[in-house]
Amino acid sequence: MKRKCSKKKKDKSRRMLLAVLAAVLLTAGSAVLSASGFQKYPGDANTDRQIDVADGVLIARYCVEDVNALITEEGLANADADGDGEVSGNDTVCVLKMIAALIPMPKNPYDEPHPDTQPAETTVPVTSAEPEQTKALTETTEEPVQTEEPAETTAVPEQPSQTVYLTADGTNYPLGVSVSVLSGDAMPDETLTVNYKTGNIIFAVFAAEPKQTMIAFAHNDNIFGYYIFCKAYQAPEGYSVTEMRDRQQNDALYAVLVQKEGLSISFHQLSDYTDTKVLSKLSYYATNGLRALSGLDGYIWDDELAKAAMQHSTEMAENDYFDHKSFDGTKFSKRLLDFGIDWQACAENIDFGYPEPFSAVNGWFNSETGHRENLLSPVYQRIGAAFASRGEENGRFYGTQDFYRGWD
């Protein structure tokens, strides 16, 4: 796409337009990606699957040659909002007219808007003593193993008539009751606690059978939601549902995230952003559930790998950039070595813009640029993950998933 800055207007005028637009852009998000193929959506310069003021700002910054205006190949194609084959101030005006309904919005080619990710990075096992000599991992395709209907593994005691339930694959899961009623004879595999703005939230993880992973969320000891692997569900009124689907396998439902309206496990509800270290581990259970559905053994959680992931997520957030390399240019494979992780093979997924860890995993799972292969790889053994933000009220969260296999 050819860059063109209009010669009919002075730089001062263009910069004034940029300043006005930037003043409007208080909480608008953007997505940065690198994709091998995409659908054109004229006006969607920041590729966040919608057209808003943020797109006009990005186009204006690009036209005045702002070096910090990051725009991808897909975004550049979309920046030509008026379709004249050039990116200029006219495209900013065109976007603003779309927003003001002065001209029609183009049809959104994406059924379900969602943030995107960079292509994953991988390295294959090395045979020499020098681990830096790597090459790209050959992409392979595995047919997911057909799974049986999940068995009813959670004993649910009888509850008072006012108790409401989430029904998943024929089993009733109570809402509005203490998380202790879920234990029965099976205690949670792990209990995680984070400090939210509205009080502590406890995550009770039941993942002894990864294909039947179930995580209950309790606020003030009252269950207000679940993340649960299932093929069918029915949620009561007053509860929002986010469906997790496999877009590469006939859009098949594999899990749901159910939350009581008014309560949320989103990153932005954290009262202390360091609690993302705890919340990040939830992505590990979601990943292992997907591996189980594909007939693979689960990854082993690695605290040191999670520290490396947290360093990179934090660095991306604090420096407002998006890349597998560290801010100083260090490759991710070297970054792992610096953390004392002596890998034989390693890989990394990154993203930003997802509201909570389960949606981030679903985004990686449905990616066609290497992320799914990393999630379902038979090569790696261990995993660490972390999400971080600059701590702003409406700041974007960056995520990193690192994988490796050791020499033993």
Side-chain angles (χ1 to χ4, degrees):
M1 180 66 63
K2 179 181 178 182
R3 181 201 302 259
K4 179 182 179 182
C5 295
S6 174
K7 300 299 183 180
K8 297 181 180 180
K9 298 181 180 180
K10 297 181 179 180
D11 286 347
K12 181 178 180 181
S13 298
R14 291 200 298 267
R15 294 184 185 277
M16 288 180 63
L17 173 61
L18 175 59
V20 172
L21 290 173
V24 179
L25 184 60
L26 297 178
T27 60
S30 64
V32 179
L33 57 83
S34 177
S36 58
F38 50 82
Q39 302 181 72
K40 189 172 182 181
Y41 186 20
D44 181 24
N46 62 13
T47 67
D48 65 351
R49 308 300 189 247
Q50 60 184 353
I51 297 174
D52 54 24
V53 173
D55 298 297
V57 169
L58 183 56
I59 295 171
R61 292 175 61 190
Y62 178 80
C63 285
V64 297
E65 299 184 4
D66 182 345
V67 295
N68 293 317
L70 302 178
I71 189 165
T72 65
E73 180 184 357
E74 178 182 0
L76 196 56
N78 291 339
D80 181 20
D82 60 8
D84 66 355
E86 300 174 334
V87 177
S88 67
N90 292 334
D91 296 300
T92 299
V93 174
C94 185
V95 168
L96 295 178
K97 286 183 177 180
M98 292 177 186
I99 298 170
L102 298 177
I103 61 176
M105 281 272 191
K107 183 178 179 181
N108 192 331
Y110 301 95
D111 294 330
E112 297 182 6
H114 62 280
D116 286 282
T117 55
Q118 274 203 348
E121 289 199 5
T122 61
T123 60
V124 296
V126 295
T127 56
S128 67
E130 183 58 47
E132 282 300 295
Q133 297 175 2
T134 62
K135 60 181 179 180
L137 179 67
T138 303
E139 186 172 302
T140 60
T141 302
E142 298 182 14
E143 289 296 326
V145 175
Q146 295 296 319
T147 60
E148 299 178 356
E149 289 290 329
E152 297 183 5
T153 58
T154 304
V156 181
E158 287 189 11
Q159 299 294 321
S161 58
Q162 65 267 26
T163 301
V164 295
Y165 297 90
L166 163 68
T167 301
D169 289 342
T171 300
N172 291 330
Y173 298 88
L175 292 153
V177 298
S178 172
V179 72
S180 62
V181 305
L182 296 176
S183 300
D185 296 329
M187 296 299 294
D189 296 280
E190 185 168 12
T191 301
L192 303 169
T193 303
V194 295
N195 299 312
Y196 270 63
K197 294 178 181 178
T198 55
N200 287 355
I201 290 183
I202 296 174
F203 295 87
V205 180
F206 297 83
E209 295 292 337
K211 287 191 291 186
Q212 299 161 23
T213 293
M214 184 269 284
I215 304 174
F217 323 143
H219 178 255
N220 296 330
D221 202 32
N222 286 318
I223 297 174
F224 72 91
Y226 290 92
Y227 174 77
I228 186 167
F229 272 58
C230 62
K231 296 179 180 178
Y233 71 93
Q234 184 174 357
E237 292 185 6
Y239 287 80
S240 63
V241 179
T242 301
E243 295 182 345
M244 308 297 173
R245 294 183 175 274
D246 185 350
R247 297 193 187 96
Q248 298 184 30
Q249 293 293 327
N250 300 315
D251 210 33
L253 179 73
Y254 70 84
V256 291
L257 171 62
V258 178
Q259 303 173 91
K260 186 176 182 179
E261 293 176 0
L263 289 171
S264 170
I265 66 165
S266 73
F267 292 127
H268 286 296
Q269 293 301 315
L270 290 168
S271 60
D272 183 346
Y273 285 94
T274 61
D275 281 330
T276 54
K277 292 187 298 184
V278 178
L279 207 60
S280 298
K281 196 169 185 182
L282 297 177
S283 67
Y284 159 70
Y285 291 106
T287 296
N288 275 356
L290 288 169
R291 289 178 65 81
L293 291 182
S294 297
L296 297 167
D297 292 335
Y299 284 128
I300 300 169
W301 178 260
D302 190 296
D303 285 329
E304 290 304 309
L305 203 57
K307 291 178 183 177
M310 178 57 78
Q311 183 195 65
H312 190 54
S313 292
T314 301
E315 190 173 54
M316 287 192 295
E318 291 180 347
N319 293 283
D320 195 22
Y321 83 105
F322 186 60
D323 200 294
H324 288 285
K325 293 180 180 179
S326 297
F327 194 61
D328 64 2
T330 301
K331 292 183 178 180
F332 87 93
S333 54
K334 175 63 164 56
R335 184 169 64 246
L336 299 189
L337 291 173
D338 290 342
F339 268 83
I341 299 167
D342 188 15
W343 53 265
Q344 183 183 12
C346 61
E348 181 175 85
N349 289 340
I350 59 175
D351 78 87
F352 74 76
Y354 287 95
E356 31 72 20
F358 303 120
S359 292
V361 171
N362 188 59
W364 282 321
F365 182 59
N366 284 293
S367 167
E368 296 181 355
T369 53
H371 308 87
R372 184 186 182 102
E373 286 76 7
N374 288 342
L375 289 177
L376 303 181
S377 173
V379 175
Y380 313 113
Q381 300 166 329
R382 308 179 79 86
I383 186 175
F387 297 83
S389 170
R390 281 194 277 189
E392 300 168 353
E393 183 70 18
N394 295 302
R396 297 176 299 193
F397 279 81
Y398 291 74
T400 303
Q401 245 187 350
D402 284 323
F403 314 83
Y404 88 99
R405 184 180 77 203
W407 292 91
D408 53 4

